[in-house]
Amino acid sequence: MTEEAVPRNQSIMPASRSSRTTVSEAVVPAVAPVDAVVDMTHAIDKVDMDMANYTHSDNAPVISNDDKHQKAAQQWENTITGVDQRFNSFNEFREALHKYSIAHGFAYKYKKNDSHRVTVKCKSQGCPWRIYASRLSTTQLICIKKMHTTHTCEGAIVKAGYRATRGWVGTIIKEKLKVSPNYKPKDIADDIKREYGIQLNYSQAWRAKEIAREQLQGSYKEAYSQLPFFCEKIKETNPGSFATFETKEDSSFHRLFISFHAAISGFQQGCRPLLFLDSTPLNSKYQGMLLTATAADGDDGVFPVAFAVVDAETDDNWSWFLLELKSAVSTAQPITFVADFQKGLKKSLAEIFDNGYHSYCLRYLTEKLNKDLKGQFSHEARRFMINDFYAAAYASRLETFQRCTENIKGISPEAYNWVIQSEPDHWSNAFFGGARYSHMASNFGQLFYNWVSEANDLPITQMVDVLRGKMMELIYKRRVDSGQWITKLTPSKEEKLQKDTSTARSLQVLLSHGSTFEVRGESIDIVDIDHWDCSCKDWQLSGLPCCHAIAVFEWIGRNPYDYCSRYFTVESYRLTYAESIHPVPNVDRPVKIESTQVGMIVTPPPTKRPPGRPKMKQAGSIETIKRQLQCSKCKGLGHNKKTCKDF
C-alpha cells in the first residue's frame, strides 16, 4: 500500500459526498496490537473469486444518487468504520464493504482478494480511496489495517455503475419472500430501486428471487436425492400407504407415486366407485406434470385418492400411474373413470381396469369439437352445435339424444358424423353403462389443483409434503364438521331430496301392476320401485329418488330414505374421513436409515424450465368460442369487407 495508514483512535469516515452522508465520530478501540505481518497458519473462509474478478458490464444494475433513496445510507453507512475494525471472517468483511459502498454511492474493485489479505480500491480512475484488511495476529479475526477515506470521484459512479449481485439481492428480499411467496420480480425491482437506488432488470430480479427461494426452501437438486428417505418416512409414519418412485438408467428422476392409507381407506369405505383422472403442469425448476386421481365424497366434496409426479405426460407414465393406482385401491367392485380419451388413457384403462367403465370427459370432448370445427363455421353456428352437443350428452332418453344430434346434422352433416363417431356410449347418458352420478367432466378436483398451484414451485419433497398437510387438515375439518350433522343424508343431498319431495306433492300416482306405477305431471313417467327405476332416468343417474319415485313412496306410505344410495348417508361420509394422515418429520433433514433404497442416487430430470412466462393450464376452463371475422359482402369467414377479394 502506498497510502499512509490512518492513525488509530481517530475518526476515519470519508468526507460527505452528498447531502445524505454524514461524518461519523465513532471510535473503535483496539484490543490487540496490529502487526504488519499476519500469522496465516489457520484456514480461512472461501474467497469470492467472482468479486475478485469483477468487471462492469452493460447489463449491470445502475445505482442512483437520487436524494430520495435514503434507506441504504441510513442502514449501512457505518458498516465500515475504519482502521482497527474487526470482523469474524473475510466473508463478513466483504458483505460489510458491499453495503458500505451502496450507502456511500461508489463502486470498487479488488486488487488483492485471496486467503491472506484483501485490498480494495475505488473503481474510479485516479480516486485515492482504498482499504486493506488481513487476519489479526494469533486470532481468527479479520482486521482493517489501512484505509484511505477520501474520494475524488464525485459523479463518476453514475457512469461506472454498480453491480448488485444476485446473492446480495436475494439476501435482501428473503424475509419479504417468506411472508409473500408470490413476490413478483417486477415488484422486487421496484422495491430495490426505491429503497436502495439500484436499478435491476426483470431477469436480475427473477434470478435473485430464485436464490432467495432456495435459501428459504432448500435446494431443488438436493430434494431429489432425498426421495428414497422421503418415501421410507411416508410408509413408516403412515402404515399402509403407497410411496414409490422410479429413475431412468442415468439415475435421473422419472416418476413418483403417492397414495396415503387414509385416502385409500376413505375411498374404499365411504366413496362412490367413481374416480376422476386429470393432470396439471408443475412450475418448479425442473418442470414435470402432476397426475391425479380424485374421488367425490357423499356431499360431493373433493377427496384426493392418489397423485404422481412425472417428468412428462406420456402414455407410458399414465399406464404406470394406473397400475400403481390399481395396487392401491384394489377392489372387486367396478370403478367408473371420468377422464380424457387421449394420452393413452383409452387403451390403458381398458387393459388395467378391464371391469371398469371409461366416461370421456365432456370438457375435453368439447374442446376437441370446437378445435376441429374452428374456421369452418360462423361463431353462431359453432355455438349452436356445441350447445346441442351438451344437450345430447346430458340426454337420458334415446329420443332426446337423437333429436339433439339431428339439430347438429341440420347445421352440418360433417359435425354430425364427428359426434356419432366419437363413441357416444362413452359420454352420453342415453348409452353409458357406468355410474357417474351426474358428473361429466374430469376436472372435478379443482380444490386439489388449487393446492398444487400454491406449492408447485417448491422442491419436490416439500411440494408433496405441502399437499399431505392440506389433505391432513381437510380430513380433520370434515370429520369435525360431520360430527355436527343430525340428518340422515349429507347436507347437499338432503337439500335435493327435500326439493324433489315438494315437487312430488303436485304429481298424480296411478297403480299399474305389482311394483310398477304411472306418475302424471308435466309428463307421464313409469316408476318401478323394486328395481329402483324411473323412465325419466334421474333416479339411476343421480343415486337419489326422483320426484316421480318420491310421489309413489308417499302414496304407498314408504320412506324415501330407504331408496337413497348408501354413499350419500352421513354414516358413509364419516367412514370416508375416519382415518387420519400423519405428519412426516424431517422432510428437509434426512437421517441415515436402514433400507434397500438408501444407496440409490436420484438426480434431477434433464428437463428445465424454459424461458418466458410459464404456460399455466386452467383445469376448469373450456376453450372459449371466439367470434371469427365474417365479411359483410360475401359472407365468407376469415376476412372483412375491406380485405374482401371478391368485390
Side-chain angles (χ1 to χ4, degrees):
M1 300 277 297
T2 57
E3 297 85 347
E4 295 183 1
V6 178
R8 245 174 287 164
N9 299 331
Q10 178 178 329
S11 174
I12 43 71
M13 290 301 297
S16 174
R17 298 188 338 113
S18 70
S19 60
R20 62 186 174 89
T21 308
T22 58
V23 176
S24 170
E25 298 296 330
V27 176
V28 181
V31 295
V34 180
D35 299 327
V37 180
V38 181
D39 182 4
M40 304 302 292
T41 58
H42 300 289
I44 66 174
D45 300 286
K46 182 181 178 181
V47 177
D48 186 348
M49 296 308 295
D50 182 55
M51 296 180 69
N53 298 324
Y54 164 75
T55 57
H56 174 70
S57 67
D58 292 336
N59 290 354
V62 177
I63 189 167
S64 169
N65 284 329
D66 198 313
D67 289 341
K68 68 180 180 179
H69 303 131
Q70 298 289 328
K71 186 172 182 178
Q74 294 171 357
Q75 289 184 345
W76 297 339
E77 62 180 5
N78 292 328
T79 54
I80 297 293
T81 57
V83 173
D84 289 348
Q85 184 180 1
R86 294 174 292 279
F87 303 89
N88 293 321
S89 65
F90 277 113
N91 281 344
E92 183 180 324
F93 166 71
R94 295 185 190 99
E95 183 178 350
L97 180 62
H98 199 151
K99 294 177 179 178
Y100 176 83
S101 66
I102 293 174
H104 292 276
F106 69 95
Y108 61 87
K109 63 181 179 180
Y110 288 88
K111 298 292 290 182
K112 293 284 185 179
N113 187 21
D114 54 31
S115 59
H116 303 284
R117 59 199 177 277
V118 174
T119 302
V120 183
K121 66 174 292 184
C122 180
K123 196 171 186 298
S124 181
Q125 186 69 28
C127 182
W129 185 93
R130 295 196 178 195
I131 190 170
Y132 169 77
S134 62
R135 192 174 299 279
L136 191 63
S137 180
T138 70
T139 74
Q140 294 298 312
L141 297 174
I142 308 304
C143 182
I144 297 178
K145 304 296 181 61
K146 297 180 180 180
M147 183 173 179
H148 195 290
T149 62
T150 305
H151 278 281
T152 60
C153 57
E154 181 71 30
I157 184 57
V158 176
K159 296 180 181 178
Y162 182 82
R163 189 189 68 170
T165 63
R166 296 176 306 216
W168 173 80
V169 178
T171 303
I172 295 298
I173 68 172
K174 184 167 62 176
E175 291 304 317
K176 187 165 184 178
L177 189 64
K178 185 187 299 182
V179 178
S180 304
N182 295 324
Y183 197 14
K184 297 179 180 179
K186 182 181 182 301
D187 296 333
I188 293 173
D190 291 343
D191 290 347
I192 294 296
K193 169 71 174 177
R194 181 180 65 256
E195 296 176 0
Y196 303 104
I198 298 174
Q199 183 68 53
L200 302 178
N201 60 34
Y202 185 92
S203 297
Q204 291 164 330
W206 183 86
R207 291 187 179 94
K209 179 181 177 180
E210 291 293 295
I211 291 174
R213 178 182 288 164
E214 188 163 306
Q215 291 174 358
L216 291 171
Q217 301 169 351
S219 169
Y220 287 93
K221 184 177 181 180
E222 291 177 2
Y224 286 99
S225 66
Q226 295 170 11
L227 279 178
F229 162 82
F230 184 59
C231 290
E232 290 290 334
K233 293 299 291 184
I234 288 178
K235 291 183 284 189
E236 177 186 321
T237 55
N238 293 267
S241 299
F242 285 74
T244 181
F245 69 94
E246 289 186 2
T247 60
K248 295 183 178 179
E249 293 181 357
D250 59 356
S251 296
S252 63
F253 173 80
H254 189 19
R255 47 202 181 192
L256 167 72
F257 177 87
I258 301 291
S259 184
F260 293 97
H261 171 69
I264 298 170
S265 175
F267 173 71
Q268 294 174 333
Q269 298 297 321
C271 289
R272 288 159 273 181
L274 174 67
L275 285 174
F276 305 87
L277 304 179
D278 209 349
S279 63
T280 186
L282 299 176
N283 192 30
S284 65
K285 183 176 182 180
Y286 295 100
Q287 294 293 95
M289 294 290 292
L290 190 85
L291 312 182
T292 63
T294 54
D297 64 24
D299 201 38
D300 276 342
V302 178
F303 186 73
V305 176
F307 60 91
V309 180
V310 297
D311 53 358
E313 187 176 13
T314 62
D315 296 359
D316 179 58
N317 280 338
W318 266 117
S319 179
W320 174 82
F321 175 73
L322 292 175
L323 285 170
E324 296 294 330
L325 181 64
K326 185 176 183 179
S327 299
V329 299
S330 55
T331 175
Q333 189 174 12
I335 298 176
T336 297
F337 292 90
V338 182
D340 192 2
F341 60 96
Q342 302 182 99
K343 306 166 188 171
L345 279 168
K346 179 180 177 181
K347 180 180 178 182
S348 297
L349 280 171
E351 293 176 352
I352 298 171
F353 291 90
D354 52 355
N355 66 336
Y357 299 91
H358 183 185
S359 168
Y360 293 168
C361 172
L362 191 57
R363 176 172 62 94
Y364 284 117
L365 272 174
T366 305
E367 288 179 351
K368 190 173 190 312
L369 173 61
N370 187 35
K371 181 179 179 181
D372 290 348
L373 299 180
K374 194 171 186 178
Q376 302 179 29
F377 305 97
S378 67
H379 171 81
E380 288 78 12
R382 285 189 296 127
R383 179 170 59 84
F384 276 118
M385 282 189 289
I386 288 178
N387 288 341
D388 289 332
F389 177 68
Y390 261 79
Y394 280 96
S396 57
R397 300 182 182 185
L398 177 60
E399 56 270 22
T400 307
F401 174 85
Q402 291 175 338
R403 184 171 64 251
C404 296
T405 53
E406 285 297 323
N407 289 339
I408 296 176
K409 188 175 184 180
I411 299 175
S412 167
E414 182 182 358
Y416 171 81
N417 292 333
W418 187 99
V419 172
I420 297 303
Q421 293 171 8
S422 63
E423 301 174 290
D425 55 318
H426 282 279
W427 52 266
S428 174
N429 282 333
F431 303 100
F432 187 66
R436 293 183 291 191
Y437 299 89
S438 302
H439 291 288
M440 309 286 278
S442 63
N443 64 317
F444 172 78
Q446 187 61 51
L447 174 65
F448 188 72
Y449 306 138
N450 292 340
W451 294 346
V452 174
S453 66
E454 295 174 8
N456 67 4
D457 56 351
L458 294 172
I460 184 169
T461 52
Q462 293 188 37
M463 181 196 72
V464 172
D465 199 57
V466 167
L467 297 179
R468 179 207 57 79
K470 295 282 190 182
M471 292 172 63
M472 180 177 69
E473 293 175 355
L474 180 76
I475 288 175
Y476 174 77
K477 182 179 184 302
R478 290 182 176 173
R479 183 192 305 142
V480 172
D481 291 345
S482 64
Q484 310 298 318
W485 297 346
I486 58 175
T487 56
K488 185 175 178 62
L489 302 181
T490 59
S492 64
K493 303 307 175 185
E494 184 72 31
E495 182 182 356
K496 182 181 186 303
L497 187 67
Q498 294 303 323
K499 182 179 179 181
D500 288 339
T501 300
S502 298
T503 305
R505 296 192 179 103
S506 62
L507 302 178
Q508 181 183 7
V509 179
L510 301 175
L511 176 62
S512 177
H513 62 84
S515 62
T516 304
F517 298 83
E518 179 180 312
V519 181
R520 295 186 176 185
E522 294 182 357
S523 62
I524 298 177
D525 292 276
I526 307 300
V527 177
D528 186 344
I529 58 175
D530 285 351
H531 294 89
W532 293 31
D533 180 74
C534 179
S535 57
C536 75
K537 300 300 182 182
D538 185 59
W539 193 357
Q540 300 93 307
L541 293 174
S542 68
L544 290 176
C546 60
C547 60
H548 311 112
I550 295 174
V552 173
F553 299 146
E554 291 196 341
W555 192 67
I556 63 177
R558 294 195 184 182
N559 189 348
Y561 290 101
D562 296 337
Y563 294 87
C564 296
S565 171
R566 72 173 184 88
Y567 299 114
F568 300 141
T569 63
V570 172
E571 180 183 0
S572 289
Y573 186 92
R574 289 170 179 166
L575 287 174
T576 303
Y577 297 101
E579 299 286 341
S580 299
I581 295 179
H582 305 292
V584 181
N586 301 320
V587 172
D588 55 346
R589 296 184 298 278
V591 295
K592 195 171 183 179
I593 58 175
E594 295 295 330
S595 169
T596 56
Q597 291 184 318
V598 166
M600 183 176 292
I601 299 174
V602 184
T603 59
T607 57
K608 285 192 175 183
R609 184 165 50 206
R613 185 181 298 277
K615 293 178 175 61
M616 300 301 294
K617 172 184 175 182
Q618 298 296 330
S621 66
I622 296 179
E623 185 178 344
T624 304
I625 303 177
K626 296 181 179 179
R627 183 180 295 275
Q628 288 185 291
L629 285 176
Q630 185 173 16
C631 181
S632 60
K633 292 182 178 179
C634 72
K635 306 303 179 183
L637 297 176
H639 65 275
N640 56 25
K641 64 180 181 180
K642 290 184 178 180
T643 57
C644 183
K645 297 180 180 179
D646 296 337
F647 289 87

